[in-house]
C-alpha cells in the first residue's frame, strides 16, 4: 500500500509530458511548465488531505477527553 501512495503523480506527469511533447505545444518549455504545475497541485493536495484527515481522526477523540462540568477536564 505504501508504494501506491508514493507514486501518486507518476501517471499524471507522464501523460502530461506526452501531451506537451506533441505538435501544438512548445516541447521542452511546456514540459517543464506542466511538471511545475503538477508539483504545486500535489503539494496543495497533500497538505489539504493531511489537514482533513487530522480533523476527522484526531480532533474528535481529543474533544471526548474534556467533559463539561467535571473539574480538571476543561480547556482553560
Amino acid at each position: 500500500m505504501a508504494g501506491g501512495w508514493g507514486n501518486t503523480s507518476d501517471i499524471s506527469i507522464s501523460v502530461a509530458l506526452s501531451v506537451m511533447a506533441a505538435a501544438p505545444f512548445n516541447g521542452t518549455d511546456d514540459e517543464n511548465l506542466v511538471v511545475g504545475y503538477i508539483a504545486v497541485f500535489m503539494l496543495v493536495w497533500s497538505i489539504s488531505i493531511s489537514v482533513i484527515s487530522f480533523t476527522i481522526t484526531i480532533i474528535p477523540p481529543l474533544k471526548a477527553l474534556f467533559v463539561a462540568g467535571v473539574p480538571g477536564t476543561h480547556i482553560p
Side-chain angles (χ1 to χ4, degrees):
M1 186 65 179
W5 284 109
N7 296 325
T8 53
S9 63
D10 290 346
I11 294 174
S12 59
I13 287 178
S14 64
V15 169
L17 289 176
S18 297
V19 169
M20 291 299 147
F25 299 103
N26 290 332
T28 306
D29 293 333
D30 285 342
E31 288 175 350
N32 293 337
L33 188 64
V34 78
V35 169
Y37 283 140
I38 291 174
V40 170
F41 175 77
M42 292 304 295
L43 178 67
V44 171
W45 174 260
S46 298
I47 291 172
S48 61
I49 288 297
S50 298
V51 169
I52 290 169
S53 65
F54 178 77
T55 57
I56 290 173
T57 60
I58 303 298
I59 300 298
L62 287 178
K63 286 184 178 179
L65 295 175
F66 302 105
V67 181
V70 177
T73 62
H74 67 282
I75 301 174

